[in-house]
Amino acid sequence: MTTGTSTTAKRRRLRRGAFRLHPAQVVVAGFAAAVAVGTALLMLPISKAGPGGAGLVDALFTATSAVCVTGLTVVDTVTYWTPFGQVVILLLIQLGGLGIMIFAALIGLVLARKLSVRARLNTAAEAKAVGFDDVRGLVRGIVLISLAIEAGTFVLLFLRFLLGYGYDLGEAVWHGAFHAVSSFNNAGFALYSDNLMGFVSDPFICLPIAAAIILGGLGFPVIMQLRKEFTKPLHWSMNTKLVLWGTVVLLVAGTVYITVIEWDNPKTLGALDPAARVLTGFFHSVQTRTAGFNALDIGAMHDETWLGMDVLMFIGGGPAGTAGGIKVTTFAVLFFIMMTELRGEGAVNIFGKRLSRAVHRQAITVVLIAVAAVLTATVALMLLSGEDLDRMLFEAVSAFGTVGLSTGVTPGLPDPAKLVLVLLMFIGRLGPLTLGTAIALRERRILYEYPKERPAIG
């Protein structure tokens, strides 16, 4: 009897193990569920202005864009959606920015004041944490940081809307809150039909939004370390140093590139005074970090500007934050690998530390999958829409990088092309490596190795 009982119990454990999801699979499933719920809510008649409810494709596209904190839109946010629909979008942005597993862990801490080992694993996987012993502190830190930055941005925007533009109290509160959440979470949704073009020369609107975007794009691990050890740069991790240096270099390079090329373009910077041109060039360099607000008509920019922005959007921001793209750290790792090979050195050393060889493979894998995803989507968009390469490449990179900038063609794309962008936003938000890990059924451990051989390279 005892043997039979133990055998039955063992079979039950095996069955449970067979259906137990890998943490990466749980993250993907969580985001998919959030998109599904958001789509259902936006299809309700109460969410859409005018008679009837939103169509499936428009609701799905908007929900995916909000949960994946992208900002690409196929309808005008301020006129198409009712206040209820706009609140749904705002909640989806906050949920997607925090992370589904982090939000679930927060609910667990509030209600049960504890987390299971499984919940800790899932949360740590989404937050890119090294361990999961202090996941409770990690969750609290992420939530507090998010709310603090959003609150500070809200106060600045609220005062500007109230005192500078004569909004009434309720309108100033709503606009301040919506754009504060949208900016920190790098979402790019705005409550204006022309996005932020009406504030192109206003530093009291552009700079707080840009600051929130930069902070959100650094990633939670970097922000949390800076909060504890801001005055101790020698204690900063390699991740923090790479993100900070990469962010500064890319912001400066992007500002110079966009400002110089668009300086005399009468349809963009050419219509502004010199100080406003520099401000706007910086603002749009920030947007390429995966935010997606625009204070200029992106469709009126030069093709050369689009190409430079493609590169910046593809790189994106810091890992484990609200930014997309391949991440600054991935780009930096590949740069240092290249420099090491050019110098003929054996190990890749960064900031006085040796880079793990496993990171080499991860960086190369992420970039190759990302390139494949963007190129495949670009070809599909061209075939489905009949649009030119430059515009479709821009839309594809913007969707994959969860940026939200557009040359203006997204609303007019056929439904199949919109679904391509939906898939690309989903892949871009979760990351190629996370999505690939989630698809794999299990990790295989090879117990043998083949003989080494070196093919000719180059």
Side-chain angles (χ1 to χ4, degrees), residues 354-403:
R354 183 167 56 87
L355 186 69
S356 170
R357 291 192 178 275
V359 179
H360 300 200
R361 299 192 300 270
Q362 292 175 349
I364 294 171
T365 301
V366 167
V367 171
L368 290 179
I369 294 177
V371 169
V374 169
L375 292 182
T376 302
T378 301
V379 172
L381 291 173
M382 292 173 64
L383 292 174
L384 293 170
S385 67
E387 293 284 351
D388 296 335
L389 170 62
D390 49 3
R391 291 182 181 272
M392 291 299 94
L393 177 62
F394 192 94
E395 303 297 312
V397 175
S398 181
F400 172 79
T402 68
V403 181

Side-chain angles (χ1 to χ4, degrees), residues 138-161:
L138 175 68
V139 171
R140 291 194 184 99
I142 289 175
V143 173
L144 291 177
I145 288 171
S146 300
L147 295 180
I149 296 175
E150 289 172 357
T153 308
F154 161 74
V155 170
L156 295 175
L157 294 178
F158 164 74
L159 292 176
R160 184 58 176 168
F161 287 134

